[in-house]
Amino acid sequence: MKNKIKVGILGATGSVGQKFIELLENHPYFELNEVCASEQSAGKKYSEKVKWIQSTPLNKIAGSLTIKKCTPDLESQVVFSALDSSIAGEIESEFATKGYHVISNSKNHRWDEDVPLLIPEVNYEHLELLKSQKYEGSIVTNPNCSTIGLVLSLKPLEKFEIESVNVVTMQAISGAGFPGVPSMSILDNVIPFISGEEEKLETEPLKILGKIDNGMVVNSKMNISAQCNRVHVLDGHLEVVQVKFKNKPSKHELIESWKSFRSLPQQLNLPFAPEIPTRYFEEDDLPQPKLQRSIDKGMAVSIGRLRDCSLFDYKFVIISHNTIRGAAGGSILCAELMHEKGLI
Ligand code: NAP
């Protein structure tokens, strides 16, 4: 591709913002052009202001950028938002109103009727909602980090008609942003509460797995119960899932459904599309965050331990990388799909 699309990052100094910078390096479609953060950071050189917490070194070009304010006067027409949700909603609306295309990780616009809550392999047809958006530009949102892993694991099973889901999460520390949970609270500990998380996990899948009717999403009717915990793991959310079906499949049918699942991003060969989006592991003690979170560039969901369940039909375990598949990488895949469809 000759001319890459210039992109900006809102909230570029945070945990997800940094992951965008790391993942956008040498991207075939997009070129990092601007970094933005709060007024306290604006005007400073990125490398001097940021507390870089990624395992790869900060690249020189990104480090040399001057941090800008989050105001809609950027050169880049596409912006990835990794803003704190206390201020993201209004800033994202301002950008979209002024003609920018915003791909957001924050919760604020996820429930707007005309905003897709997008997982490219699962509900790419929801991009149709953009036709009814009132903005000069557009807003597309990425779901919550635990929701993305859960829904990717459920999508290949939809044909068996899922009735109810129970999920218990063990979520990584990086999900709380930087500096996040104090070390004295999380070391040697599990915290059985993450503000607002259970509500997101119980409701967001219903919109994502909903069907478009007359230009609107009709939510899925399945029941979901969620319990969320913060655990002493750096990256990678683990979720234990129980599922009840209307048409109970065999274990073999479930495993084959995960193994064979491919969707539009794979057909289009998008750069961030995992080759196998839902990978099944036969080993008794897999998947584990430390071992599986980075599979397929951190974009695949790893599944294992499928067993009969005495309360539901089956139970199994999934893990997915919260700042890659669950945030920056997921948003980049959304943008790649939008680019392929001529929407940005
Ligand atoms: P974070 O580390 O706390 O970063 C927040 C960013 O917002 C920083 O760049 C900060 O800039 C900026 N910011 C704060 N107040 C601002 C203001 N008034 N004006 C402009 N910018 C402001 O948070 P995070 O973990 O990266 O999360 C970012 C968003 O992604 C959140 O909405 C979160 O819920 C969502 N998310 C996070 C994850 C994850 O795994 N971490 C996963 C999915 C979704 P300064 O440095 O200048 O303060």
Side-chain angles (χ1 to χ4, degrees):
M1 194 173 162
K2 268 197 213 140
N3 295 321
K4 290 191 186 180
I5 298 168
K6 291 183 174 165
V7 300
I9 301 171
L10 309 178
T13 48
S15 166
V16 176
Q18 292 185 28
K19 191 53 87 181
F20 272 117
I21 289 176
E22 189 182 44
L23 297 180
L24 284 169
E25 194 172 348
N26 300 321
H27 192 281
Y29 303 175
F30 306 122
E31 181 184 345
L32 178 64
N33 191 42
E34 286 154 305
V35 289
C36 310
S38 72
E39 299 212 355
Q40 287 73 42
S41 303
K44 301 191 170 101
K45 197 172 154 190
Y46 186 78
S47 60
E48 285 163 11
K49 174 63 191 160
V50 73
K51 170 87 182 132
W52 187 253
I53 53 168
Q54 308 307 311
S55 50
T56 56
L58 170 62
N59 86 67
K60 283 200 179 116
I61 298 172
S64 68
L65 294 171
T66 300
I67 301 173
K68 297 186 176 179
K69 288 187 204 161
C70 292
T71 46
D73 48 10
L74 304 184
E75 193 192 350
S76 321
Q77 285 303 296
V78 174
V79 291
F80 291 107
S81 171
L83 286 169
D84 189 89
S85 60
S86 59
I87 38 87
E90 208 174 315
I91 294 175
E92 291 169 358
S93 298
E94 283 167 13
F95 270 86
T97 302
K98 293 274 180 171
Y100 294 86
H101 298 288
V102 181
I103 298 128
S104 172
N105 282 284
S106 298
K107 65 179 181 184
N108 310 67
H109 289 287
R110 287 180 188 158
W111 284 97
D112 295 359
E113 277 191 353
D114 53 7
V115 171
L117 183 53
L118 190 66
I119 304 177
E121 288 92 342
V122 175
N123 62 339
Y124 53 84
E125 69 279 9
H126 287 199
L127 281 172
E128 197 185 315
L129 297 180
L130 293 180
K131 288 183 194 150
S132 54
Q133 280 196 1
K134 52 195 180 295
Y135 304 114
E136 277 292 305
S138 60
I139 299 181
V140 166
T141 54
N142 209 20
N144 169 267
C145 42
S146 313
T147 304
I148 295 182
L150 177 68
V151 175
L152 265 168
S153 76
L154 295 178
K155 178 69 182 176
L157 316 183
E158 234 183 355
K159 55 191 174 227
F160 307 117
E161 298 188 54
I162 300 167
E163 282 184 341
S164 40
V165 174
N166 182 48
V167 55
V168 178
T169 70
M170 282 153 249
Q171 300 185 213
I173 306 168
S174 62
F178 185 79
V181 193
S183 54
M184 284 184 72
S185 302
I186 196 68
L187 276 169
D188 187 30
N189 209 6
V190 173
I191 301 173
F193 174 68
I194 303 174
S195 179
E197 199 78 357
E198 290 171 356
E199 292 79 358
K200 289 178 199 160
L201 204 45
E202 288 177 353
T203 56
E204 288 181 8
L206 307 182
K207 178 171 177 179
I208 301 162
L209 293 170
K211 302 286 170 239
I212 298 272
D213 186 19
N214 252 332
M216 310 235 318
V217 177
V218 180
N219 289 352
S220 160
K221 297 268 184 289
M222 76 175 68
N223 279 314
I224 306 177
S225 174
Q227 300 183 71
C228 297
N229 305 284
R230 184 76 67 202
V231 298
H232 186 206
V233 165
L234 191 57
D235 287 316
H237 291 347
L238 186 146
E239 306 179 42
V240 294
V241 187
Q242 294 163 281
V243 182
K244 184 162 178 50
F245 298 95
K246 191 166 176 202
N247 301 311
K248 185 179 173 183
S250 66
K251 276 189 213 154
H252 177 75
E253 285 175 308
L254 286 184
I255 292 172
E256 283 311 304
S257 301
W258 283 317
K259 284 186 170 172
S260 61
F261 177 65
R262 304 287 185 277
S263 183
L264 189 58
Q266 285 70 38
Q267 285 156 24
L268 294 172
N269 207 13
L270 298 178
F272 266 63
E275 192 188 334
I276 302 171
T278 47
R279 288 189 181 245
Y280 189 78
F281 289 80
E282 305 282 351
E283 293 84 343
D284 285 343
D285 58 352
L286 298 183
Q288 298 176 17
K290 203 162 130 179
L291 301 182
Q292 271 77 43
R293 63 190 167 208
S294 299
I295 283 181
D296 245 341
K297 310 169 287 264
M299 292 295 287
V301 174
S302 299
I303 307 169
R305 302 215 64 222
L306 177 65
R307 290 149 292 152
D308 290 315
C309 175
S310 57
L311 295 173
F312 291 62
D313 289 328
Y314 292 106
K315 51 191 174 185
F316 54 90
V317 178
I318 66 172
I319 83 111
S320 63
H321 198 301
N322 53 297
T323 60
I324 302 181
R325 181 76 227 203
S331 291
I332 293 171
L333 186 62
C334 291
E336 291 172 354
L337 179 62
M338 291 171 75
H339 173 63
E340 283 293 325
K341 289 188 157 284
L343 296 166
I344 56 175

